[in-house]
Amino acid sequence: VTLHYIPMPKLKTSAMGIYIHRPLTSDEAAKNGLIPFVLKRGTLKYQNTEEKTKKLDDLYGATLRAGVIKKGLDHIISFTAETISEKYAPYKEPLFLELTELMLSVLLEPVTKDGAFLPEYVEQEKKNNIENVENIINDKRSYAALRCCQEMFSGTDLAVSKYGTVEEIKAVNPKDLYEH
C-alpha cells in the first residue's frame, strides 16, 4: 500500500482517493464491478445509506463515490471522497480526519450477516449493474467503444466489460462476493 499526501493549501476542498488494482478477467469482472457499490451501501457504524448521508451532510456536504474503471488489462475499484477545506469550517472541525475514518469504515467494516454481504444490498446492486450493462446501448459512443473492443479483442480479457456480463452478474451471490 502506498500513500501519497499532497497538501494543497490554495484549494477550497480536500479530497482523497483509494484505487484497488485487479487484473481484468472474465472470472472477476462481475464481482469487481459489484464490490465498490455493495461496500458503499453500509458499514458497521453507518448501517444504511441514510445514516451515511447524514454523516456526509455533517461534514458540510462531503461526497463519497465508489466505482469501477477499466484501463487496458487493469480493473480498478475506486473510492473517492471530498469535503471543504478545514480552514473554511466554522468551528475548525477535523473534517478530513472524519472523512478518512468514514472511507476506511466503508472499505474495512462492511455490514455483513452470517459471513456474507447483506443479500438485499447485493441484489439491489446486481440489479443496478445489470441495468448499466443493458442500458449502454443508449449511449452510442460508449456502446460503439464497447462493441469495438469486443470485436477487436474477441476471446481475450481485453474484450471484457468493466461490469461483466448480465449472466455473470446474476450468478454472483453474497457469500462468494464477500470471500472475493
Side-chain angles (χ1 to χ4, degrees):
V1 174
T2 304
L3 172 68
H4 297 277
Y5 174 68
I6 306 169
M8 307 278 287
K10 292 182 180 183
L11 298 180
K12 295 180 181 177
T13 60
S14 297
M16 74 177 83
I18 297 174
Y19 303 93
I20 301 165
H21 294 254
R22 299 286 307 153
L24 178 66
T25 65
S26 59
D27 297 338
E28 287 191 15
K31 290 177 184 173
N32 290 343
L34 285 168
I35 284 176
F37 303 109
V38 172
L39 287 175
K40 188 180 170 213
R41 291 291 295 263
T43 72
L44 293 178
K45 190 170 181 181
Y46 307 102
Q47 296 273 322
N48 56 46
T49 303
E50 185 180 333
E51 292 175 18
K52 191 170 53 28
T53 300
K54 185 178 180 334
K55 178 60 179 175
L56 291 169
D57 287 345
D58 290 345
L59 296 174
Y60 299 96
T63 59
L64 175 65
R65 294 181 192 91
V68 63
I69 305 161
K70 174 185 167 183
K71 225 174 214 187
L73 285 171
D74 219 6
H75 207 190
I76 306 165
I77 299 166
S78 70
F79 297 89
T80 59
E82 186 175 353
T83 188
I84 64 169
S85 179
E86 291 174 1
K87 68 183 175 186
Y88 296 106
Y91 306 106
K92 305 298 182 213
E93 302 99 308
L95 301 176
F96 197 70
L97 175 63
E98 290 185 45
L99 189 60
T100 302
E101 289 171 352
L102 174 59
M103 176 81 89
L104 292 175
S105 181
V106 166
L107 286 169
L108 304 174
E109 301 172 331
V111 179
T112 59
K113 182 178 181 181
D114 301 325
F117 288 123
L118 291 183
E120 57 269 23
Y121 287 179
V122 174
E123 287 307 312
Q124 182 60 52
E125 294 308 329
K126 282 170 58 174
K127 189 183 297 183
N128 291 344
N129 277 8
I130 288 169
E131 282 181 22
N132 288 336
V133 170
E134 292 174 343
N135 289 337
I136 196 166
I137 197 165
N138 297 327
D139 179 356
K140 300 304 178 199
R141 184 177 299 189
S142 297
Y143 182 68
L146 174 69
R147 288 295 300 132
C148 181
C149 284
Q150 287 173 339
E151 291 300 321
M152 285 177 55
F153 305 113
S154 179
T156 70
D157 289 332
L158 283 170
V160 174
S161 163
K162 69 180 180 179
Y163 296 115
T165 65
V166 171
E167 295 76 26
E168 291 165 347
I169 296 169
K170 286 180 179 178
V172 174
N173 68 57
K175 180 79 172 164
D176 290 342
L177 186 61
Y178 183 76
E179 289 173 358
H180 177 72

